[in-house]
Amino acid sequence: SQQGEEDPQALSIQEGENATMNCSYKTSINNLQWYRQNSGRGLVHLILIRSNEREKHSGRLRVTLDTSKKSSSLLITASRAADTASYFCATGGNMLTFGGGTRLMVKP
Amino acid sequence: DVKVTQSSRYLVKRTGEKVFLECVQDMDHENMFWYRQDPGLGLRLIYFSYDVKMKEKGDIPEGYSVSREKKERFSLILESASTNQTSMYLCASSPSLGTNEQFFGPGTRLTVL
């Protein structure tokens, strides 16, 4: 069973717009991670947020974590066509459990 | 730079063949993982190894085995490939200390005919 569930499953936006993806999880966590996967490739780690953090930034990425609601969001600001990819949240210890992912398409 | 490599990007095999998928990491990581990824099902963990010669079953180990004879190499074996094992296979590694960030290989797209 999947610990994390992303929402929406698919998102299509124009270049320059912001993209927001959400992740819900079921059990308590130490941290939550976000990964990106370009079509047909492996996953790439984007950002990790610890359970005692509420918000974290990395370049155009902003991640929030609400442990009371067991949810996280990933915001990509000023999106580019190169941001087109699938985005996954993941929780767990040594063995991560990944959500089903959000497929983001950024149209030029 | 951190690197995880997989032996093949694309592989086509016939039903009943024995298939070896190889994964090598150059980061001296203790943990290594094999996942399969299917549309609508996300990533599912097949096997996990936390040390040489050690292995743990993941969520879907049936029909697979693994081998970890050296720290840097983790092999996934399909003893008798079946069409329902057609999938994208992803290998990953992570250190046992520090964050649990996983580093992924590029994936092997296996087709079993």
Side-chain angles (χ1 to χ4, degrees), chain A residues 2 31 33 35 37 40-43 45 48 50 88 92-96 98, chain B residues 9 31 33 35 37 41-43 45 48 88 90 99-102 104-106:
Chain A
Q2 293 179 353
N31 62 58
Q33 302 176 43
Y35 288 80
Q37 183 181 33
R41 308 295 295 182
L43 279 70
H45 182 262
L48 179 152
R50 300 186 191 283
F88 297 86
N94 279 330
M95 285 196 284
L96 292 175
F98 291 83
Chain B
R9 290 283 287 122
N31 304 322
F33 310 83
Y35 297 89
Q37 184 179 26
L41 296 176
L43 273 79
L45 181 65
F48 158 52
M88 169 71 107
L90 293 165
T99 73
N100 54 349
E101 172 188 348
Q102 291 187 10
F104 282 81

Side-chain angles (χ1 to χ4, degrees), chain A residues 34-94:
Chain A
W34 284 91
Y35 288 80
R36 184 187 73 211
Q37 183 181 33
N38 290 90
S39 181
R41 308 295 295 182
L43 279 70
V44 175
H45 182 262
L46 292 176
I47 195 165
L48 179 152
I49 186 165
R50 300 186 191 283
S51 59
N52 61 355
E53 297 175 308
R54 291 295 167 259
E55 188 171 311
K56 198 162 183 181
H57 296 255
S58 176
R60 293 184 296 113
L61 305 180
R62 174 179 166 248
V63 169
T64 62
L65 180 64
D66 186 336
T67 52
S68 67
K69 294 181 180 177
K70 290 187 169 60
S71 68
S72 173
S73 68
L74 171 68
L75 168 68
I76 304 174
T77 59
S79 63
R80 304 166 183 169
D83 295 328
T84 293
S86 291
Y87 293 82
F88 297 86
C89 65
T91 58
N94 279 330

Side-chain angles (χ1 to χ4, degrees), chain B residues 25-77:
Chain B
Q25 51 97 0
D26 65 358
M27 297 161 282
D28 202 35
H29 286 168
E30 290 76 17
N31 304 322
M32 295 188 76
F33 310 83
W34 275 107
Y35 297 89
R36 64 176 283 177
Q37 184 179 26
D38 301 286
L41 296 176
L43 273 79
R44 292 180 291 168
L45 181 65
I46 305 171
Y47 267 99
F48 158 52
S49 169
Y50 55 90
D51 202 352
V52 175
K53 296 193 188 295
M54 306 303 288
K55 61 185 179 185
E56 295 282 346
K57 292 180 180 179
D59 298 321
I60 50 164
E62 297 78 18
Y64 303 93
S65 62
V66 289
S67 171
R68 185 133 181 238
E69 295 296 317
K70 293 185 177 181
K71 191 175 185 180
E72 66 270 19
R73 187 180 297 268
F74 192 34
S75 303
L76 180 69
I77 303 152

